[in-house]
Amino acid sequence: MDIDTLRLKQHCEELCKTIRPAESEALETARLYVIRELEAAGWQVERHPFQAHDSLLTQWSGQNLIARHPDLTAPEKPLFCVGAHLDTRPESPGADDNTSAVAALLELARLLPDLSRSENLWSIELVAFDLEENGMLGGAEHARMHSQQQTDLRGMVSLEMLGYCDHAPGSQTLPRELVGLYPDTGDFIAVVGNQNSTGLIAAFQNGMRSVPELPVEVLQVPQNGEMLQATRLSDHSPFWDAGFPALMITDTSFLRNPHYHQLTDTVDTLDFDFLSKVSQGCLESTKRILANGY
């Protein structure tokens, strides 16, 4: 089964009706929408409330939504996690950041149960993270939980801004260290991992590249990305720090999208053909990992 582009657009339009910053009523409305969509696809959703401090020591209250499907979860099997943050900045409706990725997550949720096989080697959980915009606090809480529970977590993937594409030469900027190593046209999707994520990188690279006409670029950073801070700006980075293999799948955010953290990050700026291809690549990669590991 294939990703439904119309569904992606409907999810984005519904979630972008209001801005949904941390601790807001609009964010709770978005949670209810995500829970409803996940449950309609057969997933069981757990609210995981937590409190955390940001870099300025301000305390925040958040809720991660953790979804598991009875046909795709077995306690004796290793676990794979795919997540996307649901919150937005207070000044932005967040169509690309990060509604595009939440829409992709909901499409994965709809399609994965139809493809489930009892012989899958791994289990999966889908997570809608909270408080990413406050310093990846939702990802940090989830990584802490799995570390504390000593979960056999073999990999984590953060879907981070998947819907902005620009085919014009020069539309892609790059950190100084990467100039000349990657294209200057912003029409590719990036797979970003650290030195502990070699196998996971290869699995997603191959799965994403199975989608026709989807340019895919890969970056593996030393250690946990400390030398290239832009690679740490999503919920995967706390998993790197905790020692878990993890990836970020991204359209490269502010290196491409001029609407990043702006009021203009609206649904009409998204490229739904691109988002559909990226979502299909994530689906293909996830299917392969569940079936065979990496």
Side-chain angles (χ1 to χ4, degrees), residues 86-218:
L86 183 58
D87 57 312
T88 69
R89 292 285 302 169
E91 67 275 12
S92 177
D96 193 26
D97 185 17
N98 194 36
T99 308
S100 60
V102 174
L105 190 74
L106 293 177
E107 271 295 89
L108 263 62
R110 182 177 69 86
L111 293 171
L112 283 171
D114 294 331
L115 303 165
S116 65
R117 299 184 301 174
S118 60
E119 64 267 26
N120 279 347
L121 292 183
W122 288 7
S123 295
I124 188 172
E125 65 178 12
L126 304 179
V127 184
F129 291 112
D130 200 356
L131 300 182
E132 191 272 352
E133 298 290 2
N134 300 82
M136 286 70 74
L137 301 182
E141 171 64 19
H142 203 60
R144 182 205 63 78
M145 183 192 76
H146 280 310
S147 294
Q148 185 179 61
Q149 295 176 355
Q150 297 183 322
T151 306
D152 187 12
L153 179 64
R154 300 290 179 88
M156 180 272 181
V157 172
S158 177
L159 307 180
E160 179 64 50
M161 302 181 64
L162 306 182
Y164 192 83
C165 178
D166 192 332
H167 297 284
S171 57
Q172 180 72 48
T173 60
L174 296 166
R176 177 176 48 83
E177 300 89 341
L178 302 181
V179 173
L181 301 177
Y182 292 90
D184 71 350
T185 300
D187 63 351
F188 61 86
I189 193 70
V191 178
V192 182
N194 70 341
Q195 65 180 23
N196 193 35
S197 305
T198 301
L200 187 56
I201 291 170
F204 254 75
Q205 177 181 356
N206 293 334
M208 301 292 281
R209 287 182 173 168
S210 71
V211 178
E213 300 180 349
L214 176 63
V216 180
E217 297 292 338
V218 174

Side-chain angles (χ1 to χ4, degrees), residues 8-268:
L8 289 173
K9 187 173 184 180
Q10 289 171 339
H11 291 319
C12 290
E13 289 175 340
E14 181 65 30
L15 289 169
C16 286
K17 285 181 177 178
T18 56
I19 295 173
R20 48 186 195 278
E23 300 182 340
S24 66
E25 291 184 12
L27 182 55
E28 174 59 18
T29 299
R31 287 193 199 104
L32 293 173
Y33 178 84
V34 169
I35 290 170
R36 185 165 65 248
E37 293 294 318
L38 290 169
E39 290 181 342
W43 297 76
Q44 299 165 351
V45 184
E46 171 195 350
R47 288 179 181 256
H48 179 84
F50 65 96
Q51 293 186 327
H53 292 87
D54 64 18
S55 60
L56 299 178
L57 300 183
T58 302
Q59 180 170 287
W60 296 92
S61 296
Q63 286 189 37
N64 290 337
L65 304 180
I66 307 169
R68 300 184 179 95
H69 196 285
D71 294 338
L72 297 168
T73 304
E76 71 277 7
K77 293 181 179 180
L79 182 65
F80 181 57
C81 173
V82 181
H85 74 87
L86 183 58
D87 57 312
T88 69
R89 292 285 302 169
E91 67 275 12
S92 177
D96 193 26
D97 185 17
N98 194 36
T99 308
S100 60
V102 174
L105 190 74
L106 293 177
E107 271 295 89
L108 263 62
R110 182 177 69 86
L111 293 171
L112 283 171
D114 294 331
L115 303 165
S116 65
R117 299 184 301 174
S118 60
E119 64 267 26
N120 279 347
L121 292 183
W122 288 7
S123 295
I124 188 172
E125 65 178 12
L126 304 179
V127 184
F129 291 112
D130 200 356
L131 300 182
E132 191 272 352
E133 298 290 2
N134 300 82
M136 286 70 74
L137 301 182
E141 171 64 19
H142 203 60
R144 182 205 63 78
M145 183 192 76
H146 280 310
S147 294
Q148 185 179 61
Q149 295 176 355
Q150 297 183 322
T151 306
D152 187 12
L153 179 64
R154 300 290 179 88
M156 180 272 181
V157 172
S158 177
L159 307 180
E160 179 64 50
M161 302 181 64
L162 306 182
Y164 192 83
C165 178
D166 192 332
H167 297 284
S171 57
Q172 180 72 48
T173 60
L174 296 166
R176 177 176 48 83
E177 300 89 341
L178 302 181
V179 173
L181 301 177
Y182 292 90
D184 71 350
T185 300
D187 63 351
F188 61 86
I189 193 70
V191 178
V192 182
N194 70 341
Q195 65 180 23
N196 193 35
S197 305
T198 301
L200 187 56
I201 291 170
F204 254 75
Q205 177 181 356
N206 293 334
M208 301 292 281
R209 287 182 173 168
S210 71
V211 178
E213 300 180 349
L214 176 63
V216 180
E217 297 292 338
V218 174
L219 173 62
Q220 185 170 23
V221 295
Q223 300 178 332
N224 293 328
E226 294 90 349
M227 300 298 291
L228 198 60
Q229 284 294 315
T231 66
R232 292 182 51 83
L233 297 179
S234 191
D235 288 301
H236 64 291
S237 59
F239 289 83
W240 284 356
D241 295 339
F244 295 112
L247 303 180
M248 173 173 59
I249 310 300
T250 181
D251 63 20
T252 75
S253 182
F254 55 85
L255 295 173
R256 175 186 308 177
N257 190 341
H259 308 289
Y260 174 75
H261 286 181
Q262 302 296 317
L263 191 61
T264 54
D265 185 11
T266 53
V267 173
D268 61 292

